[in-house]
Amino acid sequence: MFRRKVKPLSEVLGKVLRDGGLESPLLQKRILSAWDEVVGPTVARYTQEKSIRNQTLFVKISNPALRQDLSMMRTQLVKRLNEHVGSFVISEVRIY
């Protein structure tokens, strides 16, 4: 009888996603989906557009006062969003 090297499914799936070039887009999608949960329902109500380019999350906020408050919290938002996903995906948040 021989032994097989058994690997956890998460390890195998992670390798398949990395090899196929799908890991980064999947993590970016998770960041965009996590925005509403991380910032809460009040901020989510004023969020109009979200996109990621070059490790920067761009978020359009319709309320000027809220936009200013979030601009001052950018580093905290980056940390909380990356922690929520469990990986380093974005390095900056730009509020406009």
Side-chain angles (χ1 to χ4, degrees):
M1 190 176 238
F2 60 92
R3 287 192 169 173
R4 297 180 190 186
K5 290 186 177 180
V6 179
K7 295 182 180 179
L9 183 58
S10 61
E11 183 180 323
V12 174
L13 188 56
K15 183 177 181 344
V16 168
L17 288 173
R18 270 190 304 282
D19 291 349
L22 300 172
E23 183 178 40
S24 181
L26 180 63
L27 290 172
Q28 289 178 359
K29 173 70 174 134
R30 287 183 182 168
I31 286 277
L32 294 174
S33 298
W35 173 262
D36 292 349
E37 187 176 333
V38 170
V39 298
T42 305
V43 176
R45 189 174 333 132
Y46 293 103
T47 301
Q48 293 182 337
E49 299 173 16
K50 302 173 283 195
S51 64
I52 297 178
R53 273 183 276 131
N54 299 329
Q55 292 186 332
T56 302
L57 174 63
F58 294 90
V59 182
K60 183 175 184 178
I61 303 292
S62 60
N63 184 315
L66 184 58
R67 186 181 317 129
Q68 182 63 31
D69 288 345
L70 290 174
S71 291
M72 292 188 293
M73 297 175 52
R74 289 188 319 233
T75 55
Q76 293 171 338
L77 289 170
V78 168
K79 182 180 176 187
R80 289 174 60 195
L81 286 164
N82 282 330
E83 285 176 355
H84 192 274
V85 172
S87 181
F88 179 79
V89 180
I90 57 171
S91 59
E92 188 177 351
V93 175
R94 295 242 175 116
I95 309 292
Y96 66 98

